Amino acid sequence: MSTLIKNCRLLIKGKLFAKNILIKNGKIAKITNKEPKAEKVIDAKSNFVLPGLIDAHVHFREPGMTHKEDFLSGSMAAAKGGITTILDMPNTIPPTTTLDALEEKRRLAAKSIVNYGFNFGSTTENISDIKKAKNIAAVKLYMSYTTGDLIIRDFEAISDIFKASRTTIVHAEDDFVRDAVEILIKNKIRNHVHFAHVSSEKELQYAKSNKIKKQISVEVTPHHLFMDSKDLQSLGAFAEMKPGLKTERDQKALWEGIANGNVDTIASDHAPHLKEEKEKANYPFGVPGVETMLPLLLDAFNNKKLDLSAIQKLCCENPAKIFRIKNKGFLKEGYDADLVIADLEKRQAVRNDDLLTKCKWSPFEGKILKGWPVMTIINGNLVYDDGEIFDVKAKEVQYAR
Ligand code: NCD
Ligand code: ZN
Ligand code: ZN
């Protein structure tokens, strides 16, 4: 099967060029000025074309909480948002902390229409499973309280987990970021640590001003970039997540981190909970995000807050590099044909009714954004086309050794 995507505008060394992309058997076969013959032709209409986003932090809730989301609904929402690969988090029921739970999740994820990978959970007792777990992106370590009860406070246990995993993603809030860095330094651990959802100036400083900063990467979320604690007044529980929204000054520090390279990735931390659950007194923490991440960033581009190369680096290239995902994150010949066509001029409001996530609400509802994905192609297949979703199953990602 071959497809030609013609009239693309894509970034080459930081500048936009008009190109055609020939796809053969799910891979990018040629990026060219010519118009090679293909069985199918898609006209990108001179829109911006970027590699499909790799969202390294989603909670698709399967197994155990499929009333909130599952691999099909979550992946449909992701594809609509221009995300072509997700890495799922382990705080499901049961948690992904055993080899059996990992295999079960692998079986369930086969219904996903975006490519997928798994983060394996850590406990104080599962080091031997961590070492045996096959084809995982990273090990997730919770140092601070959040949804689920995977929390580890013992420094020795944390050090053992860092030692056992090539890459550990850490949920550490506030001073716990400093503790994690100190554990790495004190025990001379060389493995990589990725701090999930860094939300404050202080956390960013702890993560990036130390002598081992090369083995540390920082992720920020759209909600911490585009909302602050003032939004709690109007949104209440619908703006409550872990870590919580911070001050304007913290938000500014995250944007500075994007500008100066201290922020490495943006991930949605898509954490859907039903409206009814959020309306209860003891509501759960988390907000959905896969459908609004790219539109928010494209809107920020239109507002001159960051450039297109930065979006591509933070959402495509760097996640592929940090998690060593094979053949993804770049538009390159030989790479997987995962790509997004985005209309930078399209102006549209975020509307709860349009959302494909099972939770059917967004903290950004009503916000008018300029810049939207209009088509998503995954493994060479058209999966999202201007409001329409096609259920074509995707694949589990592979990692370089
Ligand atoms: C996440 C969830 O609901 O699973 N919640 C959140 O507020 N971010 C868990 C997490 O990422 O900490
Ligand atoms: Zn977390
Ligand atoms: Zn999360």
Side-chain angles (χ1 to χ4, degrees):
M1 175 68 187
S2 59
T3 304
L4 183 71
I5 309 182
K6 60 176 197 181
N7 302 321
C8 304
R9 267 199 314 146
L10 46 92
L11 283 169
I12 299 173
K13 297 204 171 94
K15 290 211 177 88
L16 287 171
F17 288 90
K19 292 279 177 192
N20 300 320
I21 301 175
L22 178 67
I23 298 171
K24 270 190 189 163
N25 302 322
K27 305 256 179 208
I28 298 173
K30 204 116 209 106
I31 299 178
T32 172
N33 294 323
K34 301 204 181 93
E35 252 189 64
K37 282 214 161 44
E39 288 152 73
K40 188 175 165 183
V41 177
I42 292 174
D43 190 351
K45 300 181 182 157
S46 298
N47 280 315
F48 175 48
V49 177
L50 71 162
L53 275 65
I54 299 173
D55 188 347
H57 190 155
V58 308
H59 302 268
F60 279 180
R61 307 294 191 208
E62 197 170 358
M65 289 174 279
T66 53
H67 61 291
K68 299 178 200 263
E69 202 76 287
D70 61 40
F71 276 105
L72 182 60
S73 62
S75 66
M76 283 174 15
K80 180 161 167 270
I83 293 160
T84 57
T85 297
I86 58 98
L87 302 180
D88 192 54
M89 285 300 176
N91 61 338
T92 42
I93 304 173
T96 320
T97 51
T98 65
L99 299 178
D100 284 348
L102 176 62
E103 284 319 308
E104 173 66 357
K105 188 173 267 195
R106 195 161 258 145
R107 199 180 61 72
L108 295 166
K111 59 178 161 305
S112 176
I113 68 163
V114 299
N115 297 312
Y116 51 90
F118 307 105
N119 294 309
F120 195 74
S122 56
T123 70
T124 47
E125 276 112 44
N126 76 342
I127 292 275
S128 73
D129 279 1
I130 286 177
K131 289 179 181 161
K132 280 186 246 161
K134 288 212 172 68
N135 208 51
I136 54 167
V139 169
K140 180 72 179 281
L141 168 67
Y142 294 88
M143 289 174 74
S144 310
Y145 165 78
T146 188
T147 309
D149 49 15
L150 295 170
I151 183 160
I152 306 182
R153 284 272 158 83
D154 180 65
F155 283 15
E156 225 169 273
I158 293 168
S159 165
D160 288 344
I161 292 160
F162 287 161
K163 280 182 201 155
S165 29
R166 189 173 69 176
T167 309
T168 307
I169 303 179
V170 185
H171 174 133
E173 296 186 33
D174 208 41
D175 288 349
F176 288 109
V177 174
R178 183 197 54 205
D179 293 345
V181 172
E182 280 176 5
I183 292 168
L184 286 170
I185 294 174
K186 183 166 160 265
N187 297 287
K188 300 193 171 61
I189 299 168
R190 301 262 180 266
N191 288 332
H192 192 88
V193 165
H194 179 77
F195 285 106
H197 45 45
V198 167
S199 65
S200 69
E201 182 176 25
K202 187 166 143 187
E203 289 172 359
L204 189 55
Q205 252 164 18
Y206 286 152
K208 285 292 186 173
S209 52
N210 61 69
K211 60 183 178 192
I212 57 160
K213 72 179 212 186
K214 280 209 180 77
Q215 73 188 77
I216 289 175
S217 50
V218 162
E219 163 194 295
V220 300
T221 72
H223 42 270
H224 294 114
L225 288 172
F226 296 100
M227 292 197 280
D228 63 47
S229 50
K230 293 194 296 302
D231 289 297
L232 285 163
Q233 285 164 20
S234 54
L235 292 169
F238 293 91
E240 290 276 15
M241 73 295 287
K242 294 286 184 185
L245 295 173
K246 301 284 155 41
T247 63
E248 237 180 281
R249 181 190 161 134
D250 288 306
Q251 189 191 48
K252 195 164 157 259
L254 301 183
W255 281 104
E256 277 164 16
I258 286 181
N260 67 23
N262 277 343
V263 169
D264 300 280
T265 68
I266 300 179
S268 69
D269 191 10
H270 179 77
H273 298 285
L274 297 188
K275 271 185 202 147
E276 304 89 272
E277 297 169 328
K278 281 290 199 182
E279 279 158 359
K280 285 188 187 144
N282 60 340
Y283 53 80
F285 294 94
V287 297
V290 285
E291 283 163 274
T292 45
M293 177 160 74
L294 182 57
L296 285 164
L297 292 170
L298 295 175
D299 185 68
F301 157 74
N302 277 315
N303 292 326
K304 304 198 165 34
K305 289 199 80 165
L306 83 176
D307 58 25
L308 295 174
S309 312
I311 296 178
Q312 203 162 300
K313 219 187 209 111
L314 293 159
C315 300
C316 314
E317 298 169 8
N318 287 352
K321 285 187 198 162
I322 290 166
F323 300 102
R324 306 187 214 205
I325 300 171
K326 276 191 189 167
N327 297 323
K328 296 196 185 295
F330 296 82
L331 295 180
K332 269 192 199 166
E333 292 172 9
Y335 272 54
D336 295 338
D338 295 344
L339 42 103
V340 189
I341 303 175
D343 182 348
L344 299 175
E345 300 298 318
K346 182 173 175 174
R347 213 182 267 276
Q348 191 177 293
V350 176
R351 280 182 298 249
N352 288 348
D353 283 348
D354 293 343
L355 299 176
L356 297 178
T357 169
K358 279 192 190 177
C359 77
K360 278 282 187 189
W361 61 270
S362 162
F364 300 104
E365 132 97 4
K367 207 174 151 97
I368 295 166
L369 302 175
K370 184 178 170 192
W372 285 82
V374 290
M375 272 191 203
T376 306
I377 290 153
I378 303 179
N379 303 316
N381 303 307
L382 183 61
V383 168
Y384 173 73
D385 181 9
D386 197 17
E388 224 183 321
I389 284 277
F390 304 99
D391 183 354
V392 187
K393 300 308 178 199
K395 294 180 188 167
E396 184 175 353
V397 299
Q398 303 294 319
Y399 310 90
R401 285 164 60 87

